[in-house]
Amino acid sequence: MSPDLREERPLSDEHTYDAGRARNLEALLRSLALRITELDASGGLLANASELTRLIGDVRSELFHYEVRVTYDTPEVADSRRIVTDAKNQDENTWQPSEWTPEEDTDREW
């Protein structure tokens, strides 16, 4: 197994995590698990601490990107969410029900 588990990909200004990249992250996690299992079976877990530290760092970094991007709202989605929230708040703040009842009008003399 190659000690570098990361898959090379072009740098881009991507804000979302697509299905292909998610599958790559799953493969990265499985590769790390397999490497740990291999080292454990050969009694080399602690002897290969620097390799494991690097691999865990790679996985940690990609997991962070996943978490950030999977919860990212595009500017359009964020703007739509803001508009809906503003509309809901405006409705709550502008509508004031009255305590008037139709019976009150019949009792008044004009």
Side-chain angles (χ1 to χ4, degrees):
M1 173 188 296
S2 167
D4 189 359
L5 299 175
R6 290 179 293 182
E7 180 178 306
E8 293 300 320
R9 60 183 170 272
L11 295 175
S12 67
D13 187 29
E14 113 187 24
H15 295 291
T16 58
Y17 215 86
D18 64 15
R21 192 163 177 188
R23 283 191 302 275
N24 289 340
L25 175 55
E26 290 170 346
L28 187 68
L29 289 165
R30 287 183 190 103
S31 295
L32 175 61
L34 179 62
R35 185 66 181 139
I36 290 171
T37 303
E38 291 170 352
L39 291 173
D40 187 34
S42 68
L45 275 174
L46 297 179
N48 292 285
S50 62
E51 175 191 356
L52 289 175
T53 300
R54 184 181 50 76
L55 296 176
I56 290 168
D58 292 345
V59 170
R60 182 180 178 273
S61 175
E62 193 62 24
L63 278 170
F64 171 79
H65 288 289
Y66 172 79
E67 184 177 17
V68 167
R69 290 180 177 156
V70 86
T71 60
Y72 176 80
D73 279 347
T74 63
E76 294 81 15
V77 171
D79 195 40
S80 295
R81 189 181 315 278
R82 181 194 56 79
I83 290 168
V84 169
T85 301
D86 289 350
K88 285 181 180 178
N89 289 340
Q90 184 179 17
D91 287 346
E92 291 171 2
N93 293 333
T94 58
W95 174 253
Q96 299 295 325
S98 71
E99 306 222 0
W100 173 85
T101 61
E103 293 80 32
E104 289 178 0
D105 276 352
T106 58
D107 295 341
R108 288 191 176 171
E109 290 183 27
W110 293 95

